[in-house]
Amino acid sequence: MIFQCQNLIDNLVNRNHISKEIHTLFEKNISQKNIAKFRLLPKLHKKKFGIRPIINCKNTVLEIFSKSLDFYMKSLASQHFSFLKDSQNLIQLTLNKKFPSDSKLFTADFESLYSNIPLEKAIIILSDTMKKVNSYFTYFGFHSLIKLVLENNFFFFRNGTEKVFFLQVKGIAMGTTCGPSVANLYLAHFENLYISLLNTSLYHRYIDDLFLIADYEVNNSHFDNIFPDLKLNIESSKVVNFLDLKISLNFYHELNFDLYIKPTNTFSYLLFSSNHPAFILKNIPKSLIFRIRRICSNTKDFFFHTTVLFKNLLGRNYDSKKILPLIRSFSKIDRKELIPYKQNLLSILAKQFFSISFSTRIFQIFPISSRTFGSKFFQKILLLKSLYLLLF
């Protein structure tokens, strides 16, 4: 596999299908590494039992290829009209937005999205999409690299003491770094083609989860032509669950948000007696209360969920005298102040650092600094590098 990768990147750079910087990055990081491991993750939170087939591609030969391609695909996917970063992003986009009085709420999710995406079609679509926006790969260069990543997912599974080796031949590996970006851009391609059919009051997607508002009944027939080869499970109600949100329409035809807690949640927060730095134990109640205040449109829902949280934190030996003042202080804060993303100097400088032209240093910083020296040291290094690039 190493010889195949080395031969491919040498041929691509010699024919000017990839840049020399990309070639240098790959060449430095190709070495004898692990074979991917396979495991099954049960979907305990689903009404209908299912499993997720996970192929852990970390520390494999293809990891650097998957990471570098994801670096470019992720930025493009985030610019798509239906893209959602998280539930906070949805709250931001719908703040003070009014909907028609006859609006209906719908949620949908793709059935086994990763394993049902046809590889050949996805590779062509992704290559065609990326050639329009990227200067580091030609169409053929990107096509060759994404094909290498998606069609060579070798893994092993232990059968007793024996290792049995397999190759995934259908769908995308759930466990490769670029997997979510591949899925996002594949779906975005069809959303762009049939954008007129998605002309509803609201349409947003978080990878394989959809949230939409329409003044008509939405069913699978609306999506049969939009997303070929894929099946959607659609649900509709006056109150729908999407990500960690319970969503409904209020009297003023605006969206009302409440915290959604999955039935399988065990509230197994870090024990207060755990041997962790004090600031982590201090920030756990604060961050959880902050999240509840940001999500809940109604104050009564905030107090209900913080009461449940308070009881669960007491069960993990947290100090009630420190939790109760936090609940009271957050209840007095205007929720709208908490909805925007938090901006600080580090995040602003980090954006400036990563907006500069591609450098192999990007992939050298993360695996070494954050793992070896801890997050605080990593943040200081990133801050210094960002300042250096801005000033010089």
Side-chain angles (χ1 to χ4, degrees):
M1 190 66 197
I2 294 175
F3 175 77
Q4 179 186 348
C5 294
Q6 186 67 60
N7 191 44
L8 175 65
I9 62 172
D10 287 345
N11 287 334
L12 290 176
V13 74
N14 289 336
R15 297 177 184 180
N16 297 319
H17 288 301
I18 62 173
S19 69
K20 290 181 180 179
E21 285 183 298
I22 294 288
H23 177 266
T24 302
L25 168 69
F26 292 154
E27 196 170 43
K28 286 183 178 179
N29 288 276
I30 294 178
S31 61
Q32 184 65 48
K33 296 186 178 181
N34 301 329
I35 300 292
K37 298 177 183 178
F38 178 78
R39 63 188 174 93
L40 297 174
L41 184 67
K43 300 178 182 179
L44 297 176
H45 62 287
K46 296 282 188 180
K47 293 179 181 178
K48 181 181 177 182
F49 179 79
I51 56 172
R52 288 191 177 95
I54 308 294
I55 299 177
N56 184 0
C57 300
K58 189 171 179 61
N59 294 326
T60 61
V61 176
L62 296 178
E63 183 185 19
I64 187 61
F65 295 94
S66 185
K67 273 187 176 182
S68 59
L69 295 178
D70 181 64
F71 179 84
Y72 294 104
M73 290 192 290
K74 187 185 291 183
S75 61
L76 183 61
S78 65
Q79 298 170 25
H80 187 61
F81 72 89
S82 69
F83 176 83
L84 277 181
K85 182 179 178 181
D86 49 27
S87 58
Q88 185 178 353
N89 192 195
L90 178 63
I91 296 173
Q92 294 168 356
L93 294 170
T94 57
L95 188 64
N96 298 326
K97 187 173 183 178
K98 292 184 180 293
F99 299 91
S101 57
D102 55 349
S103 293
K104 298 177 182 179
L105 306 180
F106 300 89
T107 58
D109 68 305
F110 290 93
E111 193 169 295
S112 302
L113 173 62
Y114 283 65
S115 56
N116 284 324
I117 291 179
L119 279 184
E120 289 186 12
K121 188 185 292 186
I123 290 169
I124 293 171
I125 287 172
L126 291 170
S127 303
D128 190 56
T129 301
M130 293 302 295
K131 75 175 182 180
K132 302 171 185 175
V133 297
N134 195 280
S135 59
Y136 292 97
F137 314 92
T138 63
Y139 175 92
F140 181 79
F142 186 88
H143 183 276
S144 301
L145 292 172
I146 196 69
K147 186 175 182 179
L148 175 73
V149 171
L150 298 182
E151 292 187 352
N152 291 278
N153 287 304
F154 293 92
F155 62 93
F156 73 86
F157 186 78
R158 287 191 179 276
N159 184 11
T161 57
E162 183 185 2
K163 285 184 180 179
V164 184
F165 293 87
F166 299 89
L167 170 65
Q168 180 177 350
V169 295
K170 182 183 177 184
I172 302 166
M174 189 180 292
T176 186
T177 305
C178 68
S181 296
V182 170
N184 268 326
L185 288 179
Y186 179 78
L187 295 176
H189 168 77
F190 293 102
E191 288 171 341
N192 284 329
L193 286 180
Y194 297 97
I195 192 169
S196 59
L197 298 179
L198 299 174
N199 188 23
T200 60
S201 299
L202 189 75
Y203 177 92
H204 285 294
R205 177 174 52 80
Y206 180 80
I207 310 179
D208 63 339
D209 291 315
L210 298 175
F211 174 65
L212 58 152
I213 300 176
D215 56 3
Y216 54 86
E217 199 66 35
V218 175
N219 53 53
N220 282 92
S221 62
H222 292 89
F223 294 99
D224 286 342
N225 291 327
I226 301 176
F227 302 112
D229 308 307
L230 301 173
K231 181 183 176 182
L232 270 172
N233 300 313
I234 302 173
E235 294 184 5
S236 178
S237 179
K238 290 184 178 180
V239 181
V240 296
N241 301 324
F242 181 72
L243 303 181
D244 60 347
L245 303 173
K246 273 187 180 180
I247 310 173
S248 59
L249 284 167
N250 62 22
F251 179 78
Y252 303 101
H253 309 301
E254 297 174 345
L255 289 184
N256 185 80
F257 294 101
D258 189 11
L259 178 67
Y260 171 62
I261 300 173
K262 291 180 180 178
T264 52
N265 191 339
T266 58
F267 303 99
S268 300
Y269 304 120
L270 195 66
L271 281 167
F272 193 75
S273 56
S274 178
N275 188 24
H276 278 73
F279 74 90
I280 292 179
L281 298 169
K282 178 182 177 182
N283 283 331
I284 286 175
K286 184 177 180 180
S287 60
L288 291 170
I289 296 168
F290 179 96
R291 171 173 167 258
I292 294 171
R293 184 69 186 106
R294 184 184 64 225
I295 288 175
C296 294
S297 302
N298 297 325
T299 308
K300 65 173 185 173
D301 293 326
F302 167 76
F303 282 118
F304 170 79
H305 289 295
T306 49
T307 301
V308 173
L309 175 65
F310 177 71
K311 292 179 180 178
N312 285 306
L313 288 175
L314 289 184
R316 308 297 286 179
N317 300 325
Y318 284 80
D319 188 355
S320 62
K321 293 180 180 179
K322 294 182 179 179
I323 300 172
L324 288 174
L326 281 173
I327 294 174
R328 284 194 291 267
S329 63
F330 272 103
S331 68
K332 297 174 183 177
I333 298 175
D334 185 357
R335 172 176 170 264
K336 290 183 179 180
E337 295 178 8
L338 307 179
I339 292 175
Y341 289 118
K342 187 177 180 181
Q343 292 290 328
N344 55 44
L345 179 61
L346 179 62
S347 64
I348 293 170
L349 291 174
K351 286 180 182 178
Q352 291 294 328
F353 174 74
F354 288 115
S355 65
I356 294 171
S357 60
F358 180 85
S359 169
T360 56
R361 288 177 297 168
I362 292 170
F363 296 99
Q364 293 167 356
I365 294 171
F366 279 103
I368 298 172
S369 301
S370 59
R371 182 175 68 246
T372 309
F373 302 105
S375 59
K376 281 195 171 181
F377 182 85
F378 164 67
Q379 289 179 5
K380 289 178 181 178
I381 293 294
L382 181 58
L383 182 62
L384 289 172
K385 282 182 173 288
S386 301
L387 282 169
Y388 176 82
L389 288 170
L390 285 173
L391 296 174
F392 304 101

